[in-house]
């Protein structure tokens, strides 16, 4: 089993990254397929919800513009290679029943969609990307907070089970003929505005649970990836390292503000920052990156 880590290298100041080959679509991959949650959703939930979610100031996705997977898919489409994105906001690695008028496709349902759409279009070397886990942890943390007696063990259990679900998803996708995978681990959730900002905007009291959950998920995911079949190649994008460095020094990513989000839920739309301001920020809301930050993530993936 080959697992290589995609993280911002020490040479980042010179613009050098460890990642997929530049312009992956022209260096051997024959198609690109993305599965995940709101961090990868190009507007699928917007369509599923009848164009209701996410509402403005979001731009059809949970950001102010294209997400990382759309930037990567552009290279494949420019080379006339098949692409597919089955990610949905609120999706989880572990299937659940959603409290919405619609059911969000979780990882197993997204795999079904992938198998149906990719049939006959994979080519000799397809690439599948998976980014899951955050929503599983957010739900578990919220449940613990509402209980009045937070139980770290419950968050740990959710993190481990979510990582196991991602591993099972990779195996299922491999059965369809995919051998190359791009897998994201979780950023340090405690550094996102949702947990880092003071209350009432943030939930700093839950930061330890968020950090524990992300660390547990990442350790479990790495162990699971190491145990996959030898004929699979997984590129692990280390978002834990990426976000840690971005928060500590946003200038490394061409940004200037890694603390204050562009939009805070519940505030009037007039408080949303301008397009120019958004281009300098890491976060669009309390947990989602701006499209400028998504562009940086895509650059890491493509190793430009």
């Amino acid at each position: 089993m080959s697992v290589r880590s995609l993280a911002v290298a020490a040479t980042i100041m010179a613009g050098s990254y460890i990642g997929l080959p530049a312009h992956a679509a022209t260096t051997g991959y024959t198609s690109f397929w993305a599965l995940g949650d709101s961090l990868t959703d190009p507007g699928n939930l917007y369509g599923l919800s009848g164009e209701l979610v996410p509402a403005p100031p979001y731009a059809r996705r949970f950001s102010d513009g294209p997400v990382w997977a759309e930037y990567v898919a552009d290279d494949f489409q420019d080379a006339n290679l098949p692409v597919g994105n089955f990610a949905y906001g609120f999706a989880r690695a572990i299937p659940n029943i959603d409290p919405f008028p619609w059911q969000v496709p979780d990882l197993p349902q997204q795999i079904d969609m992938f198998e149906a759409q990719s049939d006959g279009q994979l080519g000799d070397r397809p690439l599948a990307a998976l980014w899951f886990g955050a929503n599983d942890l957010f739900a578990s943390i919220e449940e613990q907070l509402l209980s009045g007696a937070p139980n770290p063990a419950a968050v740990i259990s959710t993190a481990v089970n979510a990582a196991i679900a991602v591993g099972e998803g990779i195996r299922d996708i491999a059965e369809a003929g995919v051998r190359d995978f791009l897998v994201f681990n979780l950023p340090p959730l405690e550094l996102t505005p949702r947990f880092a900002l003071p209350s009432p905007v943030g939930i700093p009291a839950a930061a330890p649970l968020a950090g524990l959950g992300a660390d547990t998920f990442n350790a479990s995911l790495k162990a699971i990836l190491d145990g996959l079949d030898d004929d699979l190649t997984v590129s692990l994008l280390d978002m834990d390292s990426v976000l840690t460095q971005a928060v500590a020094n946003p200038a490394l990513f061409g940004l200037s503000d890694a603390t204050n989000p562009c939009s805070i839920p519940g505030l009037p739309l007039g408080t949303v920052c301008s397009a120019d301001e958004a281009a300098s920020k890491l976060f669009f809301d309390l947990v989602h990156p701006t499209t400028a930050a998504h562009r940086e993530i895509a650059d890491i993936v493509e190793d430009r």
Side-chain angles (χ1 to χ4, degrees):
M1 171 60 198
S2 175
V3 179
R4 58 175 181 154
S5 178
L6 280 65
V8 181
T11 52
I12 185 172
M13 293 295 289
S16 175
Y17 300 93
I18 301 172
L20 297 176
H23 302 289
T26 62
T27 55
Y29 295 111
T30 54
S31 58
F32 175 64
W33 313 93
L35 300 85
D37 53 28
S38 55
L39 294 169
T40 305
D41 183 352
N44 291 333
L45 183 64
Y46 186 75
L48 179 66
S49 66
E51 301 184 353
L52 295 176
V53 180
Y58 297 104
R60 299 171 60 95
R61 317 116 167 121
F62 290 81
S63 188
D64 56 322
V67 298
W68 74 271
E70 294 177 271
Y71 289 120
V72 173
D74 284 345
D75 284 346
F76 283 82
Q77 291 176 310
D78 288 345
N80 294 316
L81 295 173
V83 300
N85 189 323
F86 313 101
Y88 282 81
F90 299 110
R92 302 187 195 182
I94 305 169
N96 76 296
I97 302 299
D98 294 306
F100 310 124
W102 55 85
Q103 178 63 39
V104 173
D106 294 311
L107 175 53
Q109 291 73 44
Q110 291 184 30
I111 292 174
D112 290 341
M113 298 164 67
F114 155 74
E115 290 177 344
Q117 183 173 322
S118 67
D119 186 30
Q121 298 191 67
L122 291 177
D124 294 333
R125 194 185 177 197
L127 175 65
L130 296 90
W131 195 356
F132 286 92
N135 288 325
D136 300 84
L137 290 179
F138 288 154
S140 180
I141 292 169
E142 181 178 359
E143 181 179 345
Q144 295 310 306
L145 293 177
L146 292 175
S147 73
N151 180 9
V155 176
I156 291 173
S157 176
T158 296
V160 171
N161 288 331
I164 291 172
V166 172
E168 292 174 346
I170 291 173
R171 292 185 180 92
D172 289 343
I173 294 171
E175 290 182 359
V178 178
R179 290 293 176 269
D180 290 274
F181 292 87
L182 169 64
V183 180
F184 292 67
N185 68 9
L186 292 181
L189 298 178
E190 71 276 14
L191 296 184
T192 65
R194 182 172 188 174
F195 301 104
L197 289 179
S199 59
V201 174
I203 317 173
L209 284 178
L212 174 65
D215 288 345
T216 302
F217 175 88
N218 290 346
S220 300
L221 179 64
K222 181 59 167 62
I224 289 167
L225 296 182
D226 287 340
L228 292 175
D229 293 343
D230 290 340
D231 64 340
L232 302 182
T233 298
V234 176
S235 296
L236 176 64
L237 203 161
D238 187 7
M239 288 304 298
D240 181 75
S241 296
V242 170
L243 186 64
T244 297
Q245 294 194 44
V247 170
N249 192 350
L252 293 177
F253 296 83
L255 307 171
S256 61
D257 186 349
T259 303
N260 302 297
C262 223
S263 171
I264 297 177
L267 295 184
L269 294 184
T271 62
V272 177
C273 64
S274 68
D276 287 342
E277 291 172 327
S280 69
K281 289 180 176 287
L282 176 59
F283 292 103
F284 185 71
D285 63 12
L286 296 180
V287 295
H288 297 102
T290 59
T291 190
H294 274 290
R295 173 72 271 182
E296 294 298 319
I297 294 172
D299 283 349
I300 295 172
V301 169
E302 295 175 336
D303 190 21
R304 292 184 174 179

